[in-house]
């Protein structure tokens, strides 16, 4: 009889262990790996909305894991599994969107490099014409020194933007070049309004 009780206890203990909630480690590893891939693809830059959804899913999952970890007994990983799937899905979308969008931004940055360099060559020539005819420039309200300084600053900024583009930081290059394009266009308009044209 005593032997049967011992066997019964062992069987109950084995049943409890076998029925205990198990952390979905394999699924967690896959979801976290995909999140890392999304980060490596710079999804936060090239797919910010999709990346934010993945980041929110990651936060929710980490919070749930902390709650379950704090429990001494009665752990339940049902919600963990659901949140893990959500993270995997959102991280995958973020990565895919980033990969697609980076090609678009890359193309836009390349076009801007050409546009800005062409416009700058024109403005530089016009500023040099203004510098040679300081009297005409002054009469037209053109501050030759300020214009020369701006042209020099823009030339440096263009070099920085091109370097960013060459380093495959297309988002930064695009932002910088877009700003430069607007600034150069404004300067060109003021120089041409004063009667200075490029000798190209």
């Amino acid at each position: 009889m005593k032997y049967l009780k011992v066997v019964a206890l062992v069987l109950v203990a084995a049943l409890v262990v076998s029925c205990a909630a198990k952390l979905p480690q394999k699924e967690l590893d896959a979801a976290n790996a995909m999140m890392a891939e999304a980060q490596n693809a710079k999804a936060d830059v090239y797919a910010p909305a999709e990346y934010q959804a993945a980041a929110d899913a990651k936060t929710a999952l980490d919070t749930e894991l902390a709650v379950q970890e704090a429990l001494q007994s009665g752990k339940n990983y049902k919600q963990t599994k659901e949140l893990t799937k959500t993270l995997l899905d959102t991280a995958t979308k973020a990565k895919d969107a980033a990969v697609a969008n980076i090609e678009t931004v890359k193309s836009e940055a390349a076009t801007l490099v050409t546009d800005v360099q062409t416009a700058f060559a024109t403005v530089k020539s016009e500023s040099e014409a203004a510098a040679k005819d300081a009297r005409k420039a002054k009469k037209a309200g053109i501050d030759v020194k300020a214009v020369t300084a701006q042209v020099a600053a823009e030339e440096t900024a263009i070099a920085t933007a091109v370097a960013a583009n060459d380093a495959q930081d297309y988002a930064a290059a695009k932002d910088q070049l877009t700003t430069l394009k607007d600034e150069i266009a404004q300067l060109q308009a003021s120089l041409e309004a004063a009667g200075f044209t490029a000798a190209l």
Side-chain angles (χ1 to χ4, degrees):
M1 190 71 176
K2 186 176 181 182
Y3 174 75
L4 289 176
K5 286 182 179 180
V6 171
V7 171
L9 288 173
V10 170
L11 289 174
V12 169
L15 182 63
V16 169
V17 171
S18 65
C19 293
K22 292 183 178 179
L23 183 68
Q25 192 61 56
K26 184 177 179 180
E27 291 84 352
L28 275 170
D29 290 344
N32 285 324
M34 184 54 68
M35 186 63 176
E37 287 186 30
Q39 291 170 333
N40 290 335
K42 296 185 178 180
D44 57 328
V45 175
Y46 295 104
E50 291 85 350
Y51 181 78
Q52 187 58 56
D56 291 343
K58 172 69 172 167
T59 298
L61 174 58
D62 288 345
T63 299
E64 175 60 18
L65 285 170
V67 169
Q68 295 302 320
E69 182 66 25
L71 295 175
Q72 295 298 319
S73 62
K75 296 181 190 292
N76 186 334
Y77 292 113
K78 181 180 179 181
Q79 188 173 2
T80 300
K81 290 179 180 179
E82 293 174 355
L83 292 173
T84 299
K85 185 179 184 305
T86 299
L87 174 58
L88 179 63
D89 291 344
T90 54
T92 299
K93 288 179 181 178
K95 177 196 170 184
D96 291 346
V99 170
N101 292 342
I102 195 171
E103 290 304 317
T104 299
V105 176
K106 178 181 178 180
S107 177
E108 292 172 344
T111 298
L112 280 167
V113 168
T114 300
D115 291 347
V116 168
Q117 289 177 333
T118 300
F120 178 75
T122 299
V123 162
K124 187 173 183 179
S125 180
E126 290 174 349
S127 69
E128 290 170 351
K132 290 178 182 178
D133 196 342
R135 183 177 295 180
K136 178 181 177 181
K138 185 176 181 180
K139 188 175 181 180
I142 299 294
D143 185 336
V144 173
K145 287 185 178 180
V147 168
T148 300
Q150 182 177 344
V151 168
E154 285 171 349
E155 189 165 23
T156 299
I158 290 172
T160 299
V162 170
N165 188 64
D166 292 343
Q168 299 182 357
D169 190 355
Y170 304 118
K174 180 185 174 182
D175 289 344
Q176 294 168 22
L177 290 165
T178 298
T179 299
L180 282 166
K181 186 176 181 179
D182 292 340
E183 292 176 353
I184 291 170
Q186 291 174 10
L187 181 56
Q188 182 177 349
S190 64
L191 287 168
E192 291 179 356
F196 297 105
T197 56
L200 299 177

